[in-house]
Amino acid sequence: MQQLLPALLLLILTHLPVAIKDLVAFDVKDYGAAGDGITDDTQAFADAWEATCRKAAGLPIMFIPGKNKFLVSPIIFKGPCKASNVLVQVEGTLVAPDSPSTWNFTDASLWIQFKSVDGLRLTSSGFGRFDGRGSNWWRQSCKLDPRKGCTSLAPTAVKFVQCNDLAVSSLQFINSPQTHILIIDSNRVYVTNLNITAPRTSPNTDGIHIHASQHVYIQDTIIGTGDDCISIGDRTSDIVVTRITCGPGHGISVGSLGRGGSNVSVERIQVSYVNFFNTTNGARIKTWQGATGYAKSMSFEKIRFNNVQNPIIIDQNYGAKANNYTIQQNAVQISNVRYAYCAGTAKTDIAVNLNCSQTVPCTDIQFDNVNIPVTSRGDTTRAYCNNAHVTTSGYINPPVMPCFPLKQSSDNLIS
């Protein structure tokens, strides 16, 4: 019972109406898991999950004990489960197979997936870890080595599909072959106190990606990877990201949106209290030309930049090289974006980059007390602006002013 104390704490934090006597634990070792990091424990995990998911009374708990390392091959934990809430408590380490050949006859996009499990709580006392062992995937990535036979799709470490009323807390995720956590088609998701790490050179290793989900809250999390710390995709709304440490990586991105000319709907995105360290981007919005739809009502507030290459960037020409830089008539309409109380240093002299569509301007872009005056070398910074309707208040440095469609690049650099 002492090992289950974190579960009891979670009950208190989430106000689940379950008495201690109603807790029922299903330990993966009781179902044959060796926990030596060598034996394949996938079947034991599948059996423990089946027992957990079919338990109707009380709060069923799938328990993964500490001081053990469990080798788990690709697996899907499917619902719906009989209980209204299901807890998976991870105290040990789950490790993925280290050879991509393991995925030869299965879905290469996933390692561990939870599907259609409402009321899921995935938690730990702080020692639970998912180790994707992605180095062999990275070596054959098309992004690093675009040769014939390279890999463009690698597994996501943990994927949540159609999981409503989901809570993920107090876990470590390291070295995923590709994205570490994917949240898709899920509503009312609460993520807190995670630590997500991978080398800065690891390709496409986003920390958390959100797609087609609403009411998602991410807080008190440390992320340093080879791609976006957090990326917010299409068909998302009411996303709150706060108290995040990001770096290394590509920053926090809304997008990319609209690839292939799709219709985009993104709104009510709030990002606040983020510290960016040595990232390629800070607060980024990126959309493809040729798309339609909107991305609106977004805010980036109380942000700190430390040696960030592009602290504030809107790029409506993302992927333009693939289209030979051809100007297209359609674009995602970006509007009502607020940057407030953002400060720090840039790695280059362009601290603010508003690269909006030639044909569909960015509108209602608000700057309120933004101060990124110098680079990390001490050089003065500038703002770049193309077809953005900007308003400012408070102290703004570098100056950011409304701008018209680009004619010459020098016309749009504001000293």
Side-chain angles (χ1 to χ4, degrees):
M1 180 61 72
Q2 186 171 356
Q3 288 182 303
L4 293 177
L5 285 177
L8 302 181
L9 178 60
L10 185 66
L11 292 180
I12 296 171
L13 293 175
T14 55
H15 308 290
L16 293 179
V18 179
I20 294 177
K21 64 182 178 62
D22 293 326
L23 296 176
V24 183
F26 300 89
D27 190 323
V28 295
K29 297 201 80 172
D30 292 338
Y31 290 84
D36 58 11
I38 301 172
T39 306
D40 190 330
D41 290 325
T42 309
Q43 188 59 52
F45 272 67
D47 293 343
W49 173 254
E50 183 181 359
T52 304
C53 194
R54 72 184 179 207
K55 178 68 175 178
L59 178 68
I61 302 172
M62 179 175 169
F63 184 64
I64 302 164
K67 299 180 181 179
N68 288 268
K69 184 180 290 187
F70 300 93
L71 175 62
V72 180
S73 294
I75 187 170
I76 300 177
F77 298 114
K78 292 182 180 179
C81 295
K82 291 187 176 180
S84 57
N85 294 103
V86 176
L87 195 149
V88 177
Q89 186 179 351
V90 182
E91 298 302 325
T93 297
L94 279 68
V95 296
D98 62 1
S99 173
S101 64
T102 304
W103 280 261
N104 281 351
F105 303 102
T106 189
D107 184 353
S109 71
L110 67 90
W111 172 33
I112 292 172
Q113 176 174 303
F114 293 89
K115 184 174 183 180
S116 301
V117 186
D118 291 345
L120 173 65
R121 270 64 175 162
L122 178 65
T123 189
S124 170
S125 62
F127 298 100
R129 171 179 289 193
F130 292 83
D131 183 352
R133 297 207 290 186
S135 59
N136 286 328
W137 287 96
W138 306 333
R139 291 188 188 100
Q140 63 188 43
S141 167
C142 294
K143 190 169 184 178
L144 296 184
D145 187 7
R147 68 194 187 285
K148 184 178 180 180
C150 64
T151 299
S152 58
L153 178 65
T156 292
V158 180
K159 186 183 295 189
F160 302 97
V161 181
Q162 298 171 353
C163 293
N164 300 316
D165 302 299
L166 165 69
V168 184
S169 62
S170 304
L171 288 158
Q172 303 171 42
F173 298 82
I174 66 170
N175 297 331
S176 178
Q178 204 155 301
T179 301
H180 286 78
I181 298 173
L182 173 61
I183 299 165
I184 183 168
D185 287 329
S186 300
N187 297 314
R188 299 177 300 279
V189 178
Y190 182 68
V191 177
T192 185
N193 194 30
L194 303 187
N195 195 313
I196 304 173
T197 58
R200 68 168 63 240
T201 55
S202 57
N204 301 316
T205 52
D206 296 55
I208 302 172
H209 181 69
I210 307 162
H211 182 80
S213 298
Q214 291 73 44
H215 317 301
V216 179
Y217 306 91
I218 303 173
Q219 67 179 36
D220 301 315
T221 289
I222 299 170
I223 306 174
T225 67
D227 211 304
D228 293 329
C229 291
I230 298 171
S231 54
I232 300 167
D234 192 12
R235 293 184 288 134
T236 54
S237 64
D238 189 24
I239 311 297
V240 177
V241 177
T242 189
R243 299 194 298 273
I244 305 296
T245 298
C246 173
H250 294 182
I252 292 179
S253 297
V254 179
S256 62
L257 304 174
R259 186 169 189 172
S262 62
N263 184 267
V264 171
S265 58
V266 173
E267 61 183 320
R268 300 195 309 278
I269 311 297
Q270 301 177 44
V271 179
S272 63
Y273 295 100
V274 178
N275 287 315
F276 292 103
F277 294 92
N278 302 313
T279 53
T280 55
N281 304 286
R284 176 165 65 161
I285 301 171
K286 51 180 178 176
T287 68
W288 292 73
Q289 286 195 67
T292 58
Y294 60 84
K296 64 182 181 181
S297 302
M298 298 175 280
S299 64
F300 300 88
E301 301 186 356
K302 298 179 175 64
I303 308 293
R304 185 72 188 177
F305 306 105
N306 186 338
N307 194 38
V308 175
Q309 187 168 327
N310 299 294
I312 294 174
I313 179 169
I314 296 177
D315 184 4
Q316 281 196 285
N317 298 292
Y318 187 74
K321 183 178 179 180
N323 295 313
N324 297 316
Y325 301 98
T326 302
I327 295 174
Q328 301 185 40
Q329 291 303 307
N330 291 333
V332 177
Q333 174 66 68
I334 296 175
S335 64
N336 187 16
V337 183
R338 174 178 166 82
Y339 302 95
Y341 301 97
C342 303
T345 60
K347 188 174 182 178
T348 67
D349 64 342
I350 306 298
V352 177
N353 187 344
L354 306 180
N355 183 20
C356 298
S357 165
Q358 297 282 75
T359 55
V360 182
C362 303
T363 60
D364 194 17
I365 310 300
Q366 310 154 36
F367 284 80
D368 179 6
N369 287 287
V370 173
N371 185 27
I372 316 169
V374 295
T375 69
S376 48
R377 300 184 305 272
D379 301 326
T380 301
T381 60
R382 298 178 288 171
Y384 172 94
C385 186
N386 175 46
N387 209 12
H389 298 184
V390 177
T391 60
T392 63
S393 60
Y395 183 77
I396 307 295
N397 193 357
V400 184
M401 296 179 288
C403 54
F404 296 99
L406 181 64
K407 293 180 180 179
Q408 296 179 356
S409 60
S410 60
D411 295 339
N412 296 72
L413 286 173
I414 306 166
S415 300

